[in-house]
Amino acid sequence: MNISPFLNKKLARRFKGYDFDGNGYVEKTDFEQAVARMCEAFGHGPDSAARQRLYDLTMQLWQRLVTTADANADGRISEAEYKNAFANSMLVTPENFEQGYRPFCEAVMDIVDVDGDGRQSLEEYELWMHTLINVPKADTRVAFRLIDKDGSGYITTDEMVEAIREYYFNEDPQSIGSLLLGPLDS
């Protein structure tokens, strides 16, 4: 898949969300720590089945990235390696995207949907986006309002999947997905 300049900015922003320690590389520990932070924020301890499912899906993503991108086998992925791997594995077709992201979004919902109503509130959305993906809370508020198309004050898994799909496949800078992770670097 050819990476447009706009998608390049989006992938750079997503990479920063993975690289919590800011060392310029994404490592397995970044993924493990993100899952632990989010799950602990929602009260899911190490024995939680929902936590284990999210961890397993996250480790599958990590393994796909390492297998695709880590040419020098150093156990870490640079931003350039990430962009190449992501574009060549997750974004090749909408079907690939759906197979990768729907189960992940469902696992996130299992963690954040504390009351079990099948949707997440603004507060739940802010907390998971901040603890798992390193998005500032102020940026999550803007995205939440856009994702919540019906104005119910809640978003569903389907709405999340659609917003993430737009993030990667929609080239319109004003699309809902383009604002999902906050402002893109110039």
Side-chain angles (χ1 to χ4, degrees):
M1 172 181 204
N2 186 26
I3 299 176
S4 71
F6 189 53
L7 179 56
N8 189 58
K9 286 182 184 182
K10 290 178 184 181
L11 292 174
R13 176 63 184 95
R14 184 62 189 104
F15 180 85
K16 286 180 183 178
Y18 281 132
D19 183 17
F20 261 89
D21 62 9
N23 70 352
Y25 293 93
V26 175
E27 299 156 302
K28 183 179 180 183
T29 57
D30 290 317
F31 281 62
E32 292 170 331
Q33 291 171 1
V35 169
R37 266 190 308 276
M38 186 187 107
C39 291
E40 289 167 11
F42 284 94
H44 286 266
D47 296 334
S48 164
R51 179 177 177 157
Q52 187 61 50
R53 180 174 178 230
L54 181 62
Y55 178 83
D56 291 345
L57 289 167
T58 303
M59 289 301 100
Q60 288 171 18
L61 173 59
W62 168 250
Q63 192 57 51
R64 278 194 312 252
L65 286 172
V66 165
T67 300
T68 305
D70 192 14
N72 63 0
D74 66 353
R76 59 190 193 167
I77 298 170
S78 69
E79 184 175 329
E81 289 173 322
Y82 168 77
K83 289 175 182 178
N84 183 53
F86 204 87
N88 290 318
S89 64
M90 292 292 288
L91 297 180
V92 175
T93 68
E95 293 78 24
N96 286 18
F97 172 85
E98 185 74 21
Q99 290 169 358
Y101 268 97
R102 178 151 308 269
F104 182 79
C105 288
E106 290 169 350
V108 166
M109 185 67 84
D110 287 345
I111 299 289
V112 305
D113 181 19
V114 178
D115 63 6
D117 66 356
R119 48 192 197 159
Q120 53 188 287
S121 68
L122 172 61
E123 293 77 22
E124 291 165 336
Y125 179 76
E126 284 177 336
L127 186 56
W128 85 259
M129 289 291 285
H130 182 68
T131 56
L132 185 69
I133 305 179
N134 203 21
V135 178
K137 288 186 178 182
D139 293 337
T140 62
R141 289 181 201 116
V142 172
F144 184 89
R145 282 188 225 104
L146 295 170
I147 296 167
D148 179 21
K149 291 179 184 179
D150 64 2
S152 67
Y154 296 93
I155 57 176
T156 65
T157 300
D158 288 341
E159 289 171 319
M160 272 305 307
V161 170
E162 183 55 34
I164 295 168
R165 182 182 290 110
E166 280 196 30
Y167 187 79
Y168 293 111
F169 290 104
N170 192 330
E171 288 287 315
D172 178 2
Q174 300 306 312
S175 74
I176 294 168
S178 294
L179 303 172
L180 185 65
L181 302 180
L184 300 174
D185 294 338
S186 302

